[in-house]
Amino acid sequence: MKLANPAPLGLAGFAFTTWMLSMHNAGWFAGDAVPMVLALAYAYGGTAQVLAGLLEFPRGNTFGFVAFTSYGAFWWSFALFVQFFAAKVPAGFIAWYLFVWGVFTFYMWIATFRANRAVQLVFLALWITFVLLAFGIWFAPVLTLVGGYVGLVTAVLAFYLSAAEVINEAYGRTVLSIGPYQQAA
């Protein structure tokens, strides 16, 4: 029995929600746009990613399980934080939240060195996004804007990888290249 690949679902949920939040972080939309991000964070970025992660488990994909369930939980924690607790938390502590997600993303990026190039680029861009957002709070608000733009790049990369996995499987051949992992000889 062939199992469906849950990764495109998780990647799409991640990409869509990241795109919407990053438009806000890049200054394209003000705070009144954030409720749409929260709705996506609960439903698609959060729930669909956790579901994708749980579906990676029986496939034996530790990386996919950890990545999707963790970033799904990130979206849930983000939405809950913004909706209920943001006004009560010091900005510096929020920066630590983002920075520690950057630490997690960094070691996940290291794990992608054994994966295709598209996955590597998604995690590299996401790591840079988290660091820029944390540094934007700690040091210079302009870095938050830059982080927003890098977040948009992250979302585009994740959308591309999601599309490539769906389209390539549907056609039974490589239509969109993901730069397959090749072991050194």
Side-chain angles (χ1 to χ4, degrees), residues 69-108:
T69 54
S70 294
Y71 292 112
F74 163 81
W75 284 116
W76 268 91
S77 72
F78 171 80
L80 289 167
F81 166 73
V82 171
Q83 193 166 13
F84 298 111
F85 309 109
K88 301 172 188 165
V89 178
F93 203 63
I94 297 168
W96 275 108
Y97 168 82
L98 295 166
F99 186 78
V100 173
W101 274 107
V103 170
F104 171 76
T105 303
F106 179 78
Y107 77 72
M108 293 299 284

Side-chain angles (χ1 to χ4, degrees), residues 11-12 14-16 18-19 109 116-129 149-165 176-178:
L11 287 162
F14 168 78
F16 194 171
T18 300
W19 179 268
W109 174 58
N116 63 64
R117 296 289 181 243
V119 172
Q120 292 173 18
L121 290 172
V122 169
F123 278 83
L124 175 60
L126 182 58
W127 170 51
I128 293 168
T129 300
Y149 282 98
V150 177
L152 291 168
V153 170
T154 304
V156 167
L157 291 167
F159 268 133
Y160 177 86
L161 181 55
S162 175
E165 291 196 10
L176 297 173
S177 177
I178 58 172

Side-chain angles (χ1 to χ4, degrees), residues 6-7 49-73 104 108:
Q49 276 195 93
V50 168
L51 179 60
L54 294 175
L55 292 171
E56 290 286 6
F57 184 81
R59 296 169 57 96
N61 183 353
T62 301
F63 179 85
F65 171 71
V66 172
F68 289 128
T69 54
S70 294
Y71 292 112
F104 171 76
M108 293 299 284

Side-chain angles (χ1 to χ4, degrees), residues 28-43:
W28 294 5
F29 292 92
D32 59 350
V34 171
M36 179 57 69
V37 178
L38 298 181
L40 276 168
Y42 285 128

